[in-house]
Each structure stands twice: as structure tokens, then as C-alpha cells.
Amino acid sequence: MRYAYAITTALLLGGAATTMLSPSYAQNAQNEPGTISAAAPKAGAPMSFADMVAKLQPAVVNISTKQKVQISTGGNPFGDLFGGMMGGGQDDGQPITREGQSLGSGFIISPDGYIVTNAHVITAGAKGAKVESITVTLFNRKEYVAKVIGSDTASDLAVLKVDATNLPYVKFGDSGKARVGDWVIAIGEPFGLGGTVTAGIISALNRVTGQGGAYDRFIQTDAAINKGNSGGPMFDLNGNVIGINSQIYSPSEGSVGIGFAIPAASAKPIIDTMIKGGKVQRGYLGIGRQPVDEDIASTLGLPKDRGEIVNRVEPGSPGQKAGLKQGDVIVAVNGQEVTPEQTLPYLVANVPPGSAAKMNIIRDGKPMTVTAIVGNRPSEEELANSITGNDDGDDDGGTQGGNGAPELHAGAELLGVQVTALTPQIANSLGVNPAQVSGVVVTGVSMASDPAAKGLQRGDIISSINKTVVRTPAEFDAQIRAAKAAGKTTVLVYFTRARQGSLYVAIKLKA
């Protein structure tokens, strides 16, 4: 039996969800105010957490799943030679089914058996795998078969239900009152070892991890969080749940003092919606975007880290209907500035679908305002279906040549890039539709150039230079020379990589 511990990436997307008031129960919560006291700390030492842990730990559970995984054997290349000698006849290459398991944590939020965890804890861990059953094990080792009440991949939250009564439970606190430096306690089931308690401080609030999404804003802690802690609670010193442990940052797959928890303020509305049987909704514009980094900001003459640039507008999307265009820089939504800590997806996703989002934008250096009626964000599965694969490209260590001789132009002299026309044959070989993507194809990149450092590679399709469309090598050449003649040191290049998407990148011209 192999154990795959469930703790990886969480995309935290929240949205407009109705908050359900906490019901009243005859039984008191394990962390009822006044029931938890802390001993006075000795000089220079933290207080003991023992009394608090004794009250809280019974509400924390282990969550395990049994999965069926189909594995393709690929056939036995020695079948004709060895036959039955290999242990049971010739392998015909048909998929075989094996059992897998995942382990994680969770916590009970009501005496009648509602349990919160991460969505990835109860999700199949491999392609083709299917979750057969979910088992919840209490602190007293009593086991229950759990039913999924709701699971939201975007926010990485899930609610389970077990058929039981008079269970120990805990309540959510106000994560908005948390401060950097506050003590926190994490309780969970790391590595399947059983109930484990770790303590630390809040290292940062509203931490953006760069994954995008509506709630890419975490509580960061140095309390040890490891594989298997996913879905477990983070408590403040009042015994309230202020976060749901979900991720670690670690090159070694063990704790290095950087763990992340979903803030209770973000999680509770989603959890309440799932318990009520509702569907979590979040705002959607239907655009692609990227941060305005220092190079792009310098090229556009804008302050860095202010706003995000639109690199794609989906046909028929709310963004297109509002008049947004590729190259627009969105700097504020409904009066809230777009910053690295307050990203565009975060702001838009928290606008209720069907309501208006007034956006301040910069188009061709001029400030403008557009208003979009925000749509309802599709599921992560639907969004993922729009990406059909990856193109790793290749790199032979020098200037790369395409099919046939590349056309030499100013790009080779001043940019370190060779391009050729995008013919129907090349478009077909790259897997792009020439009716949707136009431009020139990169056939070579000098390894000593800035484009190589910025990740440009053979097969990329350049559609514009400094927001001016280029369809031929001659037009590409003209724009590069014009930028040089105007004294510019960088050019803003918009390119598409087949099956991956489109991006803006600011590239330095050669001296």
C-alpha cells in the first residue's frame, strides 16, 4: 500500500456567498469563551499551551481516502521471449487498477458532524484515479464514513458530514484581528503520525503566493506545517480557528518555517454556502492579465507594481462587452487599487456576479474608465479545458534556425531575435489557428541576448511591438528600428506560445 500525502497547491478563489449565522446548540463548543485559560508566562518564556490543547485537540480529525488508480503498464517488451517466466503470462499493455490512499486533517465545526478540510485532501491524487471512500478518524480513534457536502477546488475548501451527535467541535474566530507576531497553534495529522501540535507566530498577513485567484491572500506562519497537516485548524490563543492550514513552501517537502493558512474570514462564507447547499459564485471578466513589472512599467512610462496589463480578452466575455482591449492597464476596480498585494483576480472575484465593476484603466498612456457587468466565473475544470497542453520548446545553445533559412532583419541586430512570416504551414505545425493568431514566428534567439533571459524561444509568435501590430518581418524590422531611432532602450513585445497563452514582455535593445 502506497501512501500519497495530500498537501500541495491551493488556488484560493472566493466570492459572493451568503454568510449563514452560527446555529445555537445545547452543547457548548470546546472553545467556548471563558472555558480556556492560559497560565501566566515565565519571564522571557512563552506560556504553556497544554490546557488549551487538551480542550481543542478532540475536535481535530484525521481524514483518509481510499482511491482506485488506473496505471498503464505500456506492455512487456520481453513478453515474447519470457512469457510465463515473468510471473503470470504475457503483459498485453492493458491498464491495471491499484489502490491508493491520501491522508490529511480536518476539524469538526458542529456537534452533529460537519467537518471542514481542504478540497485537495479528498480529491483524487492522480489522473484517472477515483475516490472510493472517505474515512474520518476522531482523536479517540473512533472511525466514521464521511459524505461530501461540498467541495470547491478554486478555494481549496471542502465540507464533510458524518452521522454522529454530541461531537466535540470548535468555532471560527475573526482572522481580521490577527497581527503579525501573534502566537498561533496548528493541530493536525502530519505524515499520518496521529494528532500533532505545533506552535509558532504569524509571520505575515495577506501573503500573496503568486498563484492568482480570488483569495491568494494567506496567513503565513512559522509553526511547523508538514504533509498531512492540510485541512487542519490554526488557532489563536483564545482557542478560535483563524485559519485552515493548506500549503507549505519547502524545497525538501518538510517544514522550513514557511506555512500558509486560508484566513477564516475568507473561508467561512464559502463553508456556510456549501452547508446550505448553495453554489459558490465569484466574479469573472474573461480576460488574461499579468503584473506590470519593472521592465514593462519602464517601457510604458508607468509606476512599477501598479496595475495589471490585459494580455487577452475572450470573445463574448464581460470584459469584451465592457470595451476592454489587449494592452489596457487596469489600475483600480471600484475604487480599490490593483497592487501586488491586492491583485486584479482578487478584486474582480469578490464582485458579485451580475453587478457592476468600475475599472480605471490606462490605454495608450491616457487614463480612462470602463464599467463591466461581471459574469459568474466558470469552474476550474472548465477553465482548464481551454489549455490543451504544454510546449517545452528546445534550446541548442546558440542562435536557433527554423525550417528553411531565417530572414535577417533589425531584430537580429538590435534585439537578438530572428523571425519569419507565419505561413499556414508553420501555423499548422505549431498548432495555432492563423485566423486567431497573427504575427511573425521566432526562428532563433541569441543566447547572449535579453530575449533569451526573458524566456523568448523558437516557435513563439510575436504579434506586436510597442502595441503596434506586426504581420511581416518587414513590419517587425520597422518597429525595432523606429524604437531605436526614438532613443528607446526597451520595446514591449506581445507574443503567443502555442497551447500556453499570450504575454507581454519588455525586452532591452542592444546598445
Side-chain angles (χ1 to χ4, degrees), residues 167-386:
L167 294 176
Y169 71 100
V170 290
K171 300 189 300 184
F172 283 103
D174 185 358
S175 59
K177 294 181 179 179
R179 300 182 303 164
V180 174
D182 282 348
W183 280 101
V184 289
I185 295 174
I187 304 179
E189 305 274 333
F191 303 110
L193 292 173
T196 299
V197 181
T198 57
I201 63 168
I202 294 177
S203 305
L205 294 169
N206 300 326
R207 175 67 75 203
V208 176
T209 63
Q211 300 171 90
Y215 286 104
D216 185 13
R217 293 167 66 147
F218 294 83
I219 299 173
Q220 182 181 326
T221 181
D222 66 351
I225 296 175
N226 291 287
K227 288 185 174 183
N229 273 111
S230 280
M234 172 187 283
F235 294 102
D236 63 17
L237 288 194
N238 294 317
N240 293 315
V241 179
I242 61 168
I244 302 169
N245 302 317
S246 65
Q247 299 185 55
I248 59 172
Y249 177 85
S250 173
S252 64
E253 298 188 354
S255 175
V256 294
I258 301 179
F260 302 99
I262 306 168
S266 303
K268 192 173 186 302
I270 299 172
I271 291 164
D272 290 343
T273 298
M274 288 192 284
I275 290 175
K276 292 177 65 178
K279 183 179 180 181
V280 180
Q281 296 184 328
R282 44 185 67 88
Y284 177 70
L285 282 179
I287 63 172
R289 95 292 173 245
Q290 63 185 97
V292 177
D293 61 22
E294 185 173 1
D295 289 337
I296 293 176
S298 175
T299 303
L300 296 176
L302 299 173
K304 71 174 182 177
D305 294 334
R306 180 172 181 259
E308 297 188 14
I309 188 168
V310 177
N311 59 36
R312 186 184 74 259
V313 180
E314 295 293 340
S317 66
Q320 185 192 53
K321 293 175 182 177
L324 285 174
K325 296 182 178 180
Q326 176 195 311
D328 287 345
V329 178
I330 302 176
V331 296
V333 178
N334 288 339
Q336 299 185 70
E337 287 194 2
V338 178
T339 66
E341 294 75 32
Q342 190 165 254
T343 62
L344 182 62
Y346 171 83
L347 293 174
V348 171
N350 286 285
V351 176
S355 57
K358 181 181 178 182
M359 291 173 285
N360 298 96
I361 69 171
I362 297 174
R363 179 178 295 167
D364 298 327
K366 299 176 182 178
M368 297 178 59
T369 300
V370 299
T371 300
I373 302 302
V374 174
N376 186 23
R377 182 178 175 83
S379 69
E380 296 306 301
E381 292 76 14
E382 291 171 322
L383 292 174
N385 287 338
S386 64

Side-chain angles (χ1 to χ4, degrees), residues 1-26:
M1 183 76 70
R2 297 197 322 176
Y3 291 82
Y5 295 94
I7 181 164
T8 46
T9 301
L11 296 177
L12 304 183
L13 298 174
T18 302
T19 301
M20 184 177 71
L21 296 177
S22 299
S24 298
Y25 299 102

